Amino acid sequence: MTLKIGICTKQDLDEAMKLQKREQYEDERKRRIFNAKQRLYGLDLEMLDRQILEKKKQRTAQMECDKKFEEQEQLQKRLILAQEKELEKKQRVVDSDLNYYRCRYQRKEQRREFDLNDPNFLKKARPTRVADNDISLGVSSAQIFQGEDLYNTDRKLRQREQQRAWLDQQVQERKKAEDARKQADNLLMDNVGCRDKHLQEMAKSDHQMRNQVIQRVRQFNINMAKQKQLDREREKREKYEDDMAEIYNMLSSDMLTENPDVAQSRTDPNKKIAFMYRGMTPEELRVFRLGQEQQLRLAIQRKTEAQMMDKQWEQYAINMDRTLVLHQIEDDRRRKGELDELMRANSKLAVEQDRQRKEALVGLTNAVSDDFYDQFNKNSR
């Protein structure tokens, strides 16, 4: 609400400045009181320190637990890596022995059918005749025929013995490899069982630690809930007492009693204090209504004059438009006559130019006569 009180004096400005400072101080005080994150009084410092200490202990315990888990994980990784390296080493040894066996006992020339595909078969073959006293020679002293196998029985016997020895050796090697594989599997299973047992123990220890932490947190929450309940009851009781005191102060204040003397300024008898002013007297209301009626009459009079002025301007604009339209019509007629005159002059000029061009063509044209043709072919040159 705006009041027309008059020109402000220095005392009024000082009083307004004091009022503004008081309101600003009150706003800052409310922000300090109702902001739970920034206020510096009404806090339980001992409880806060105890909470901070509990948080630090929990953080330290969690860090130690994480460190143990990381160490156990690194140990498991090292064990697994060592087992993998050991298995790879054993596999390399097995592969090396297998390659050595193949190079030593399974060469191409040791095959049973190598004699059929031997490129040096003819070089190694027995000659047809060993000596004169060869018992294999008949009475007719004929030579041994090509393709006969004199040592077939002995060769087959040696081949069977060699095959039997190979089979026995392969059976022994396979049995050794199977025993080594079983031993490696048993060792791996023992390591895995030991690791699982250790992991179960760690999980059990972690579960117990978590249960202890949960129990402590639950007890702490219960204590905090009880303390908060007591604080709420105390705050409620204090708030009730403050509200009752405020109600009494408000009921006995000048605002509700509407004391008109408190709104009078002490420095200026014609000035009112805005925030304590409770309205005008009947005489002031009557003067105010008269002023409003006078302002309303003046406004109606100004509006009527403005409407008359607008009508006059509209009539003037209509007359100006009519005059401009007449001048435009006159200009169009004049331009049309000038254009017709120009077109007639251009037509005359075109006819005259066409006639002059034809006369020039006739003057420049030279007709060929018979004398022109008779001057040719009169001599041999």
Side-chain angles (χ1 to χ4, degrees):
M1 183 176 62
T2 304
L3 298 175
K4 297 180 180 180
I5 300 175
I7 300 173
C8 296
T9 61
K10 187 175 183 303
Q11 291 82 5
D12 297 334
L13 294 175
D14 294 338
E15 188 175 354
M17 189 176 296
K18 290 179 181 178
L19 179 61
Q20 185 178 1
K21 287 183 178 180
R22 191 183 302 112
E23 292 177 354
Q24 184 178 0
Y25 175 75
E26 185 66 23
D27 294 337
E28 293 176 354
R29 181 172 176 273
K30 289 180 180 179
R31 285 197 295 269
R32 289 196 302 270
I33 291 175
F34 297 111
N35 192 349
K37 294 182 178 180
Q38 296 181 358
R39 63 185 180 185
L40 302 177
Y41 49 88
L43 299 178
D44 192 355
L45 298 179
E46 183 179 357
M47 181 61 69
L48 292 177
D49 294 336
R50 188 161 57 253
Q51 291 178 2
I52 292 171
L53 183 60
E54 289 292 335
K55 291 289 184 181
K56 288 183 178 179
K57 290 182 179 179
Q58 292 178 6
R59 192 178 298 110
T60 304
Q62 185 65 29
M63 290 176 65
E64 291 179 355
C65 184
D66 294 340
K67 186 176 180 181
K68 290 181 180 178
F69 275 115
E70 290 179 359
E71 292 177 355
Q72 184 63 26
E73 185 179 2
Q74 295 296 329
L75 178 60
Q76 293 298 327
K77 287 182 179 178
R78 288 195 296 270
L79 291 175
I80 293 172
L81 184 61
Q83 290 294 331
E84 290 179 354
K85 289 183 178 179
E86 185 67 24
L87 292 176
E88 290 178 357
K89 184 178 179 181
K90 292 180 180 179
Q91 186 65 32
R92 285 197 298 269
V93 172
V94 172
D95 294 340
S96 178
D97 295 341
L98 180 61
N99 291 329
Y100 174 76
Y101 175 79
R102 287 174 179 174
C103 293
R104 179 68 179 82
Y105 299 104
Q106 291 184 349
R107 294 196 297 271
K108 185 177 180 181
E109 59 270 13
Q110 292 178 349
R111 296 177 182 177
R112 290 181 298 176
E113 65 276 4
F114 179 73
D115 56 341
L116 302 178
N117 300 320
D118 189 2
N120 298 322
F121 174 74
L122 297 177
K123 295 180 181 180
K124 298 178 182 179
R126 183 180 179 182
T128 57
R129 181 172 179 171
V130 178
D132 293 338
N133 58 354
D134 190 357
I135 62 175
S136 63
L137 295 176
V139 177
S140 61
S141 299
Q143 301 293 329
I144 297 175
F145 296 101
Q146 182 71 22
E148 292 182 350
D149 191 0
L150 301 179
Y151 304 101
N152 183 25
T153 304
D154 295 337
R155 180 174 53 78
K156 288 185 178 179
L157 182 60
R158 288 194 301 270
Q159 287 179 354
R160 283 196 295 271
E161 292 177 354
Q162 190 177 10
Q163 288 177 358
R164 189 179 297 109
W166 286 350
L167 290 174
D168 294 338
Q169 186 177 1
Q170 289 178 3
V171 169
Q172 292 295 330
E173 291 178 354
R174 183 172 297 177
K175 186 176 181 181
K176 290 181 180 180
E178 186 68 22
D179 293 339
R181 186 184 62 80
K182 288 182 179 179
Q183 185 178 1
D185 292 340
N186 293 331
L187 181 61
L188 180 61
M189 292 301 294
D190 293 338
N191 293 331
V192 172
C194 181
R195 183 193 62 185
D196 294 340
K197 183 178 180 181
H198 190 65
L199 290 176
Q200 289 177 0
E201 292 177 356
M202 290 186 63
K204 184 177 180 180
S205 176
D206 181 65
H207 184 68
Q208 292 177 357
M209 186 181 297
R210 290 181 183 274
N211 288 333
Q212 292 177 2
V213 172
I214 292 172
Q215 291 296 332
R216 292 178 181 177
V217 172
R218 184 181 294 109
Q219 186 63 34
F220 176 76
N221 292 333
I222 291 172
N223 296 333
M224 287 294 295
K226 292 180 179 178
Q227 184 65 30
K228 287 184 178 180
Q229 182 66 26
L230 295 175
D231 293 340
R232 282 196 294 268
E233 291 177 358
R234 179 177 53 80
E235 292 177 357
K236 185 176 180 181
R237 184 172 60 256
E238 293 178 355
K239 187 175 182 299
Y240 176 76
E241 293 175 357
D242 294 340
D243 292 341
M244 294 303 295
E246 185 177 1
I247 291 172
Y248 176 76
N249 293 330
M250 290 296 294
L251 291 175
S252 61
S253 64
D254 294 332
M255 181 180 67
L256 294 180
T257 55
E258 296 184 358
N259 187 5
D261 297 332
V262 297
Q264 187 66 36
S265 176
R266 298 179 181 178
T267 58
D268 189 1
N270 297 324
K271 183 176 177 58
K272 301 292 184 180
I273 300 175
F275 68 93
M276 300 183 69
Y277 186 65
R278 289 294 176 271
M280 294 183 293
T281 60
E283 184 63 25
E284 291 175 348
L285 286 174
R286 186 181 63 78
V287 174
F288 181 73
R289 297 300 183 188
L290 292 176
Q292 284 184 337
E293 293 176 358
Q294 184 177 2
Q295 291 177 359
L296 180 61
R297 286 194 297 271
L298 292 175
I300 294 172
Q301 183 178 359
R302 286 195 297 270
K303 184 176 181 181
T304 304
E305 293 176 355
Q307 290 177 356
M308 293 178 63
M309 184 63 68
D310 293 339
K311 289 182 180 179
Q312 291 177 1
W313 276 107
E314 289 177 359
Q315 186 65 32
Y316 178 74
I318 292 171
N319 296 332
M320 290 297 295
D321 291 340
R322 187 181 296 108
T323 304
L324 291 174
V325 169
L326 293 176
H327 285 297
Q328 184 67 31
I329 294 172
E330 186 66 25
D331 291 340
D332 292 340
R333 289 176 181 175
R334 181 176 55 79
R335 289 195 186 95
K336 185 176 181 181
E338 292 177 355
L339 182 60
D340 294 339
E341 187 67 25
L342 180 61
M343 291 178 66
R344 286 193 295 272
N346 289 335
S347 299
K348 291 180 181 179
L349 290 174
V351 172
E352 184 65 24
Q353 187 177 6
D354 188 25
R355 184 182 60 78
Q356 291 177 1
R357 185 169 59 255
K358 290 180 179 180
E359 289 178 355
L361 289 174
V362 171
L364 295 174
T365 304
N366 189 9
V368 181
S369 61
D370 295 337
D371 295 337
F372 176 76
Y373 295 105
D374 291 340
Q375 62 181 344
F376 300 103
N377 297 329
K378 289 183 179 182
N379 49 25
S380 57
R381 298 248 180 217

Coordinates of all heavy atoms in Angstrom, one line a residue, residues 254-318:
D254 N 0.2 -3.7 20.4 CA -0.5 -2.6 19.8 C -1.2 -3.0 18.5 O -2.1 -2.3 18.1 CB 0.4 -1.4 19.7 CG 0.9 -0.9 21.0 OD1 0.2 -1.0 22.0 OD2 2.0 -0.3 21.1
M255 N -0.7 -4.0 17.8 CA -1.2 -4.4 16.5 C -2.6 -4.9 16.7 O -3.5 -4.5 15.9 CB -0.3 -5.4 15.9 CG -0.8 -5.8 14.5 SD 0.3 -7.0 13.7 CE 0.0 -8.4 14.8
L256 N -2.8 -5.8 17.7 CA -4.2 -6.4 17.8 C -5.1 -5.4 18.5 O -6.3 -5.4 18.3 CB -4.1 -7.7 18.5 CG -3.4 -8.8 17.8 CD1 -3.4 -10.1 18.6 CD2 -4.1 -9.1 16.4
T257 N -4.6 -4.6 19.5 CA -5.4 -3.7 20.1 C -5.7 -2.5 19.3 O -6.6 -1.7 19.6 CB -4.7 -3.2 21.4 OG1 -3.4 -2.7 21.1 CG2 -4.5 -4.3 22.4
E258 N -5.0 -2.3 18.1 CA -5.2 -1.3 17.1 C -5.1 0.1 17.8 O -6.1 0.9 17.7 CB -6.5 -1.5 16.4 CG -6.6 -2.7 15.6 CD -7.9 -2.8 14.8 OE1 -8.7 -1.9 15.0 OE2 -8.0 -3.8 14.0
N259 N -4.1 0.3 18.4 CA -3.8 1.6 19.1 C -3.4 2.6 18.0 O -2.4 2.5 17.4 CB -2.7 1.5 20.1 CG -2.6 2.8 21.0 OD1 -3.4 3.7 20.8 ND2 -1.6 2.8 21.8
P260 N -4.2 3.7 17.8 CA -3.9 4.6 16.7 C -2.7 5.5 17.0 O -2.1 6.1 16.1 CB -5.2 5.4 16.5 CG -5.8 5.3 17.8 CD -5.5 4.0 18.4
D261 N -2.4 5.6 18.3 CA -1.3 6.5 18.7 C 0.1 6.0 18.3 O 1.0 6.8 18.1 CB -1.3 6.8 20.2 CG -2.6 7.5 20.6 OD1 -3.2 8.2 19.8 OD2 -3.0 7.3 21.8
V262 N 0.2 4.7 18.2 CA 1.6 4.1 17.9 C 1.9 4.4 16.4 O 3.1 4.2 16.1 CB 1.6 2.6 18.2 CG1 1.4 2.4 19.7 CG2 0.5 1.9 17.4
A263 N 1.0 4.6 15.5 CA 1.2 4.9 14.1 C 1.7 6.3 13.8 O 2.1 6.6 12.7 CB 0.0 4.5 13.3
Q264 N 1.6 7.2 14.8 CA 2.0 8.6 14.6 C 3.6 8.7 14.7 O 4.2 8.2 15.7 CB 1.3 9.5 15.7 CG 1.6 11.0 15.4 CD 0.9 11.4 14.1 OE1 -0.2 10.9 13.8 NE2 1.5 12.3 13.4
S265 N 4.2 9.4 13.8 CA 5.6 9.6 13.8 C 6.0 10.6 14.8 O 5.3 11.6 15.0 CB 6.1 10.0 12.4 OG 7.5 10.3 12.4
R266 N 7.0 10.4 15.5 CA 7.5 11.3 16.6 C 8.2 12.5 16.0 O 8.3 13.5 16.7 CB 8.4 10.5 17.6 CG 7.7 9.4 18.3 CD 8.6 8.7 19.2 NE 8.0 7.5 19.9 CZ 8.6 6.7 20.8 NH1 9.8 6.9 21.0 NH2 7.9 5.7 21.3
T267 N 8.8 12.4 14.8 CA 9.5 13.5 14.2 C 8.6 14.4 13.4 O 8.9 15.6 13.3 CB 10.6 12.9 13.4 OG1 10.1 12.1 12.4 CG2 11.6 12.1 14.2
D268 N 7.6 13.8 12.8 CA 6.7 14.6 11.9 C 5.3 14.3 12.3 O 4.8 13.2 12.2 CB 7.0 14.3 10.5 CG 6.3 15.2 9.5 OD1 5.6 16.2 10.0 OD2 6.4 15.0 8.3
P269 N 4.5 15.4 12.7 CA 3.1 15.1 13.1 C 2.2 14.7 12.0 O 1.2 14.1 12.2 CB 2.7 16.4 13.8 CG 3.6 17.4 13.2 CD 4.9 16.8 13.0
N270 N 2.6 15.1 10.7 CA 1.8 14.7 9.5 C 2.2 13.4 8.9 O 1.7 13.1 7.8 CB 2.0 15.9 8.5 CG 1.4 17.2 9.0 OD1 0.4 17.2 9.8 ND2 2.0 18.3 8.7
K271 N 3.1 12.7 9.5 CA 3.6 11.4 8.9 C 3.2 10.3 9.8 O 3.1 10.4 11.0 CB 5.2 11.5 8.8 CG 5.8 10.3 8.2 CD 7.3 10.4 8.1 CE 7.9 9.2 7.5 NZ 7.4 8.8 6.2
K272 N 2.9 9.1 9.1 CA 2.5 7.9 9.8 C 3.6 6.8 9.6 O 4.2 6.8 8.6 CB 1.2 7.4 9.2 CG 0.0 8.4 9.3 CD -0.4 8.6 10.8 CE -1.7 9.5 10.8 NZ -2.1 9.8 12.2
I273 N 3.7 6.0 10.6 CA 4.6 4.8 10.5 C 3.8 3.7 9.7 O 2.8 3.3 10.1 CB 5.0 4.3 11.8 CG1 5.8 5.5 12.6 CG2 5.9 3.1 11.7 CD1 6.1 5.1 14.0
A274 N 4.4 3.3 8.6 CA 3.7 2.5 7.6 C 3.3 1.1 8.2 O 2.2 0.6 8.1 CB 4.5 2.3 6.3
F275 N 4.3 0.4 8.8 CA 4.0 -1.0 9.3 C 3.2 -1.0 10.5 O 2.8 -2.1 11.0 CB 5.4 -1.7 9.5 CG 6.1 -1.2 10.7 CD1 6.0 -1.7 12.0 CD2 7.0 -0.1 10.6 CE1 6.7 -1.2 13.0 CE2 7.7 0.4 11.6 CZ 7.6 -0.2 12.9
M276 N 2.9 0.2 11.2 CA 2.0 0.2 12.4 C 0.7 0.9 12.1 O -0.1 1.1 13.0 CB 2.7 0.9 13.5 CG 4.0 0.2 13.9 SD 4.8 1.0 15.3 CE 3.7 0.5 16.6
Y277 N 0.5 1.4 10.8 CA -0.7 2.2 10.5 C -1.8 1.2 10.3 O -1.7 0.2 9.6 CB -0.4 3.0 9.2 CG -1.5 3.9 8.8 CD1 -1.9 4.9 9.7 CD2 -2.2 3.7 7.7 CE1 -2.9 5.8 9.3 CE2 -3.3 4.5 7.3 CZ -3.6 5.6 8.1 OH -4.6 6.4 7.8
R278 N -3.0 1.4 10.8 CA -4.1 0.5 10.8 C -5.4 1.1 10.0 O -6.5 0.7 10.2 CB -4.6 0.2 12.2 CG -3.6 -0.7 12.9 CD -3.6 -2.1 12.2 NE -2.6 -3.0 12.8 CZ -1.3 -3.0 12.4 NH1 -0.9 -2.2 11.4 NH2 -0.5 -3.9 13.0
G279 N -5.1 2.1 9.2 CA -6.3 2.6 8.5 C -6.5 4.1 8.8 O -6.1 4.7 9.7
M280 N -7.4 4.7 7.9 CA -7.7 6.1 8.0 C -9.0 6.3 8.8 O -9.8 5.4 8.9 CB -7.9 6.7 6.6 CG -6.6 6.7 5.8 SD -6.9 7.5 4.2 CE -8.0 6.4 3.4
T281 N -9.1 7.5 9.3 CA -10.3 7.9 10.1 C -11.4 8.2 9.1 O -11.2 8.4 7.9 CB -10.0 9.2 11.0 OG1 -9.6 10.2 10.1 CG2 -8.8 8.9 11.9
P282 N -12.7 8.3 9.6 CA -13.8 8.6 8.7 C -13.6 10.0 8.0 O -14.0 10.1 6.8 CB -15.0 8.7 9.6 CG -14.7 7.7 10.8 CD -13.2 7.9 11.0
E283 N -13.1 11.0 8.6 CA -12.9 12.3 8.0 C -11.8 12.1 6.8 O -12.0 12.7 5.7 CB -12.4 13.3 9.0 CG -12.2 14.7 8.5 CD -13.5 15.3 7.9 OE1 -14.6 14.9 8.4 OE2 -13.4 16.2 7.1
E284 N -10.7 11.4 7.1 CA -9.7 11.2 6.1 C -10.3 10.4 5.0 O -10.0 10.6 3.8 CB -8.5 10.4 6.7 CG -7.7 11.3 7.7 CD -6.6 10.5 8.4 OE1 -6.6 9.2 8.2 OE2 -5.8 11.1 9.0
L285 N -11.2 9.4 5.2 CA -11.8 8.6 4.2 C -12.7 9.5 3.3 O -12.8 9.4 2.1 CB -12.6 7.5 4.8 CG -11.8 6.3 5.3 CD1 -12.8 5.3 6.0 CD2 -11.1 5.6 4.2
R286 N -13.4 10.5 4.0 CA -14.3 11.4 3.2 C -13.5 12.2 2.2 O -13.8 12.4 1.1 CB -15.1 12.2 4.2 CG -16.2 13.1 3.5 CD -16.9 13.9 4.5 NE -16.1 14.8 5.2 CZ -15.6 16.0 4.7 NH1 -16.1 16.4 3.5 NH2 -14.8 16.8 5.4
V287 N -12.4 12.8 2.8 CA -11.5 13.6 1.9 C -10.9 12.8 0.8 O -10.9 13.2 -0.4 CB -10.4 14.3 2.8 CG1 -9.4 15.0 1.9 CG2 -11.0 15.2 3.8
F288 N -10.6 11.6 1.1 CA -10.0 10.7 0.1 C -11.0 10.4 -1.0 O -10.7 10.4 -2.2 CB -9.5 9.4 0.8 CG -8.9 8.4 -0.2 CD1 -7.6 8.7 -0.7 CD2 -9.5 7.3 -0.5 CE1 -7.0 7.8 -1.6 CE2 -9.0 6.4 -1.4 CZ -7.7 6.6 -1.9
R289 N -12.3 10.1 -0.6 CA -13.3 9.8 -1.6 C -13.6 11.0 -2.5 O -13.8 10.9 -3.7 CB -14.6 9.4 -0.9 CG -14.5 8.1 -0.1 CD -14.1 7.0 -0.9 NE -14.1 5.8 -0.1 CZ -13.7 4.6 -0.6 NH1 -13.2 4.5 -1.8 NH2 -13.7 3.5 0.2
L290 N -13.6 12.3 -1.9 CA -13.8 13.5 -2.7 C -12.7 13.6 -3.7 O -12.9 14.0 -4.9 CB -13.9 14.7 -1.8 CG -15.1 14.8 -0.9 CD1 -15.0 16.0 0.1 CD2 -16.4 14.9 -1.7
G291 N -11.5 13.4 -3.3 CA -10.3 13.4 -4.2 C -10.5 12.4 -5.3 O -10.2 12.7 -6.5
Q292 N -10.9 11.2 -5.0 CA -11.1 10.2 -6.1 C -12.2 10.6 -7.1 O -12.0 10.4 -8.3 CB -11.5 8.9 -5.4 CG -10.4 8.1 -4.8 CD -10.8 6.8 -4.2 OE1 -12.0 6.5 -4.0 NE2 -9.8 5.9 -4.0
E293 N -13.3 11.2 -6.6 CA -14.4 11.6 -7.5 C -13.9 12.7 -8.4 O -14.2 12.8 -9.6 CB -15.6 12.1 -6.6 CG -16.3 11.0 -5.9 CD -17.4 11.5 -5.0 OE1 -17.6 12.8 -5.0 OE2 -18.1 10.7 -4.4
Q294 N -13.1 13.7 -7.8 CA -12.6 14.8 -8.6 C -11.6 14.2 -9.7 O -11.7 14.6 -10.9 CB -11.8 15.8 -7.8 CG -11.3 17.0 -8.5 CD -10.7 18.0 -7.6 OE1 -10.6 17.7 -6.4 NE2 -10.2 19.1 -8.1
Q295 N -10.8 13.2 -9.3 CA -9.9 12.6 -10.3 C -10.7 11.9 -11.4 O -10.3 11.9 -12.6 CB -8.9 11.7 -9.6 CG -7.9 12.4 -8.7 CD -7.0 11.4 -8.0 OE1 -7.2 10.2 -8.1 NE2 -6.1 11.9 -7.2
L296 N -11.8 11.2 -11.0 CA -12.6 10.5 -12.0 C -13.2 11.5 -13.0 O -13.3 11.2 -14.2 CB -13.7 9.7 -11.2 CG -14.7 8.9 -12.1 CD1 -13.9 7.9 -12.9 CD2 -15.7 8.2 -11.2
R297 N -13.7 12.7 -12.5 CA -14.3 13.7 -13.4 C -13.3 14.2 -14.4 O -13.5 14.3 -15.6 CB -14.9 14.8 -12.6 CG -16.2 14.4 -11.9 CD -16.9 15.7 -11.4 NE -16.2 16.4 -10.4 CZ -16.2 16.2 -9.1 NH1 -17.0 15.3 -8.6 NH2 -15.5 16.9 -8.3
L298 N -12.1 14.4 -13.8 CA -11.0 14.9 -14.7 C -10.6 13.8 -15.8 O -10.4 14.2 -16.9 CB -9.7 15.3 -13.9 CG -9.9 16.5 -13.0 CD1 -8.6 16.7 -12.1 CD2 -10.2 17.8 -13.8
A299 N -10.6 12.6 -15.3 CA -10.3 11.5 -16.3 C -11.3 11.4 -17.4 O -11.0 11.2 -18.6 CB -10.1 10.2 -15.5
I300 N -12.7 11.5 -17.0 CA -13.7 11.5 -18.0 C -13.6 12.6 -19.0 O -13.8 12.5 -20.2 CB -15.1 11.5 -17.3 CG1 -15.3 10.2 -16.5 CG2 -16.2 11.6 -18.3 CD1 -16.5 10.1 -15.6
Q301 N -13.3 13.9 -18.4 CA -13.2 15.0 -19.3 C -12.0 14.8 -20.3 O -12.1 15.1 -21.5 CB -13.0 16.3 -18.4 CG -12.9 17.6 -19.2 CD -12.7 18.8 -18.3 OE1 -12.7 18.6 -17.1 NE2 -12.6 20.0 -18.9
R302 N -10.9 14.3 -19.8 CA -9.7 14.1 -20.7 C -10.0 13.1 -21.7 O -9.7 13.2 -22.9 CB -8.5 13.7 -19.9 CG -7.9 14.8 -19.1 CD -6.5 14.4 -18.6 NE -6.5 13.3 -17.7 CZ -6.6 13.5 -16.4 NH1 -6.7 14.7 -15.8 NH2 -6.6 12.4 -15.6
K303 N -10.8 12.0 -21.3 CA -11.1 11.0 -22.3 C -12.1 11.6 -23.4 O -11.9 11.2 -24.6 CB -11.8 9.8 -21.5 CG -12.2 8.7 -22.4 CD -12.8 7.5 -21.6 CE -13.1 6.3 -22.4 NZ -13.7 5.2 -21.6
T304 N -13.0 12.4 -23.0 CA -14.0 13.0 -24.0 C -13.2 13.9 -25.0 O -13.4 13.9 -26.2 CB -15.0 13.8 -23.2 OG1 -15.7 13.0 -22.3 CG2 -16.0 14.4 -24.2
E305 N -12.3 14.7 -24.4 CA -11.5 15.6 -25.3 C -10.6 14.7 -26.2 O -10.4 15.1 -27.4 CB -10.6 16.5 -24.4 CG -11.3 17.5 -23.6 CD -10.4 18.3 -22.7 OE1 -9.2 18.0 -22.7 OE2 -10.9 19.3 -22.1
A306 N -10.1 13.6 -25.7 CA -9.2 12.8 -26.6 C -10.1 12.2 -27.7 O -9.6 12.0 -28.8 CB -8.6 11.7 -25.7
Q307 N -11.3 11.8 -27.4 CA -12.2 11.2 -28.4 C -12.5 12.2 -29.5 O -12.5 11.9 -30.7 CB -13.5 10.7 -27.7 CG -13.3 9.4 -26.9 CD -14.5 9.0 -26.2 OE1 -15.6 9.6 -26.3 NE2 -14.4 7.8 -25.5
M308 N -12.8 13.5 -29.0 CA -13.1 14.5 -30.0 C -11.9 14.8 -30.9 O -12.0 14.9 -32.1 CB -13.5 15.8 -29.3 CG -14.9 15.7 -28.6 SD -15.3 17.2 -27.7 CE -15.5 18.4 -29.1
M309 N -10.7 14.8 -30.3 CA -9.5 15.0 -31.1 C -9.3 13.9 -32.1 O -8.9 14.1 -33.2 CB -8.3 15.2 -30.1 CG -7.0 15.5 -30.8 SD -7.0 17.1 -31.7 CE -7.0 18.2 -30.3
D310 N -9.6 12.6 -31.7 CA -9.4 11.5 -32.6 C -10.4 11.6 -33.7 O -10.0 11.3 -34.9 CB -9.6 10.2 -31.8 CG -8.6 9.9 -30.8 OD1 -7.5 10.5 -30.9 OD2 -8.8 9.1 -29.8
K311 N -11.6 12.0 -33.5 CA -12.6 12.2 -34.6 C -12.1 13.2 -35.6 O -12.2 13.1 -36.8 CB -14.0 12.5 -34.0 CG -14.6 11.4 -33.2 CD -16.0 11.8 -32.7 CE -16.7 10.7 -32.0 NZ -18.0 11.0 -31.5
Q312 N -11.6 14.4 -35.0 CA -11.1 15.4 -35.9 C -10.0 14.9 -36.8 O -9.9 15.2 -38.0 CB -10.7 16.6 -35.1 CG -11.8 17.4 -34.4 CD -11.3 18.5 -33.6 OE1 -10.1 18.7 -33.5 NE2 -12.3 19.2 -32.9
W313 N -9.0 14.1 -36.2 CA -7.9 13.6 -36.9 C -8.4 12.6 -38.0 O -7.9 12.5 -39.1 CB -6.9 12.9 -36.0 CG -5.9 13.9 -35.4 CD1 -5.9 14.4 -34.1 CD2 -4.9 14.5 -36.1 NE1 -4.9 15.2 -33.9 CE2 -4.2 15.3 -35.1 CE3 -4.4 14.5 -37.4 CZ2 -3.1 16.1 -35.5 CZ3 -3.3 15.2 -37.7 CH2 -2.6 16.0 -36.7
E314 N -9.4 11.8 -37.6 CA -10.0 10.9 -38.6 C -10.6 11.6 -39.8 O -10.4 11.2 -41.0 CB -11.0 10.0 -37.9 CG -10.4 9.0 -36.9 CD -11.5 8.2 -36.3 OE1 -12.7 8.4 -36.5 OE2 -11.1 7.3 -35.4
Q315 N -11.3 12.7 -39.5 CA -11.9 13.4 -40.6 C -10.9 14.1 -41.5 O -11.0 14.1 -42.7 CB -12.9 14.5 -40.0 CG -13.7 15.3 -41.1 CD -14.6 14.4 -41.8 OE1 -15.1 13.4 -41.3 NE2 -14.8 14.6 -43.1
Y316 N -9.8 14.6 -40.8 CA -8.7 15.2 -41.6 C -8.0 14.1 -42.5 O -7.7 14.4 -43.6 CB -7.7 15.8 -40.6 CG -6.5 16.4 -41.3 CD1 -6.6 17.6 -41.9 CD2 -5.3 15.8 -41.2 CE1 -5.5 18.2 -42.6 CE2 -4.2 16.3 -41.8 CZ -4.3 17.5 -42.5 OH -3.2 18.1 -43.1
A317 N -7.8 12.9 -41.9 CA -7.2 11.9 -42.7 C -8.0 11.5 -43.9 O -7.5 11.2 -45.0 CB -6.9 10.7 -41.8
I318 N -9.4 11.4 -43.7 CA -10.3 11.1 -44.8 C -10.2 12.1 -45.9 O -10.1 11.8 -47.1 CB -11.7 10.9 -44.3 CG1 -11.8 9.7 -43.4 CG2 -12.7 10.8 -45.4 CD1 -13.1 9.6 -42.6

